[in-house]
Amino acid sequence: MAQIVRLTTRQQRSEQEEAAQTAEQLSLLSEELLKHLPGEARIALSKITHALQKAARPDTTEGLWPGGFTMLSRMQTAAIWDAIRALPSDDRPNQVRHAFDLVLLNLRQDTGEVLLTRDQLAEEIGCFPRNVSTIMGTLEKMGVIRRERRKIEGVRGPGMAVYFINPHVAWNGSLDVRKTQAAETRPPMQLELLHGGAS
């Protein structure tokens, strides 16, 4: 059976080589120099390096991990599952668990942003879009995700709800960025049981 091979043009190969060389140069920056940079500059460098590495190896997400992978805290993920199972039936624990799984599968690299819209989440979960706010609100109260409002030009109101995973739970992308984000974010409140407390 013939194998399909993706053709790469000379210009694409040249751009990939340039991206690889630039990423390699950035990786040579000393830890001594980096630690004197502001946190925002370190995050920006990490994001640039990650983007260059991805440009240099555009097919690396297809292979052992088709579509990429997400890093999880096993203990905290298990604790979240337990906390979701303990929710009263009025809080729709099955749909909350489904939403949590979808969050883990749809994270943007280096920001932890959930890439599904409210309508997409509703379609995947099998509920009305109006119920998604309640379901995601439950995860937000647990500290699993946080919500931001993103203004849309020409549209009135507070803006579209955008969700981000708590970096103590999961991450997709640079570990340097994850460490910085985790240092600025509290672990989920429901996970106090990991330290012997009651949930």
Side-chain angles (χ1 to χ4, degrees):
M1 189 173 184
Q3 182 177 3
I4 297 174
V5 178
R6 180 179 296 177
L7 296 177
T8 306
T9 67
R10 182 179 298 176
Q11 181 179 351
Q12 287 173 327
R13 286 195 299 271
S14 175
E15 290 172 353
Q16 289 171 15
E17 288 171 7
E18 287 178 11
Q21 290 171 4
T22 307
E24 185 177 358
Q25 291 296 317
L26 286 175
S27 70
L28 296 176
L29 293 173
S30 69
E31 287 292 328
E32 187 65 26
L33 171 65
L34 292 174
K35 76 179 184 181
H36 292 295
L37 293 176
E40 289 181 3
R42 290 199 304 273
I43 290 176
L45 278 172
S46 179
K47 287 182 178 179
I48 291 167
T49 303
H50 190 268
L52 287 166
Q53 289 169 341
K54 197 170 180 182
R57 302 188 303 275
D59 298 326
T60 53
T61 57
E62 304 300 330
L64 290 178
W65 297 285
F69 61 91
T70 296
M71 294 169 282
L72 299 176
S73 165
R74 289 181 293 177
M75 289 178 65
Q76 294 198 358
T77 301
I80 290 167
W81 288 337
D82 289 342
I84 290 173
R85 276 195 296 271
L87 289 171
S89 59
D90 288 349
D91 285 340
R92 307 170 186 258
N94 290 336
Q95 292 183 339
V96 173
R97 168 62 195 273
H98 195 170
F100 176 54
D101 291 344
L102 288 169
V103 164
L104 295 180
L105 292 174
N106 293 278
L107 296 178
R108 177 176 164 178
Q109 293 263 352
D110 278 342
T111 66
E113 180 183 341
V114 180
L115 293 174
L116 295 178
T117 65
R118 187 178 77 151
D119 287 347
Q120 288 171 327
L121 283 165
E123 184 177 350
E124 291 287 341
I125 295 169
C127 67
F128 293 110
R130 65 176 179 268
N131 293 333
V132 169
S133 296
T134 303
I135 292 166
M136 297 299 276
T138 299
L139 290 174
E140 187 177 11
K141 287 175 189 171
M142 294 168 67
V144 175
I145 60 172
R146 65 180 172 84
R147 182 189 332 218
E148 290 184 5
R149 289 285 177 178
R150 185 170 291 161
K151 281 284 194 181
I152 301 173
E153 191 175 345
V155 179
R156 292 183 179 179
M160 179 179 70
V162 181
Y163 301 99
F164 294 82
I165 190 74
N166 187 320
H168 291 278
V169 177
W171 195 254
N172 180 359
S174 164
L175 283 177
D176 290 335
V177 178
R178 184 261 167 203
K179 288 176 186 174
T180 303
Q181 295 282 349
E184 299 170 355
T185 308
R186 294 179 60 182
M189 291 174 61
Q190 290 285 346
L191 302 187
E192 292 172 359
L193 66 140
L194 291 178
H195 307 291
S199 60

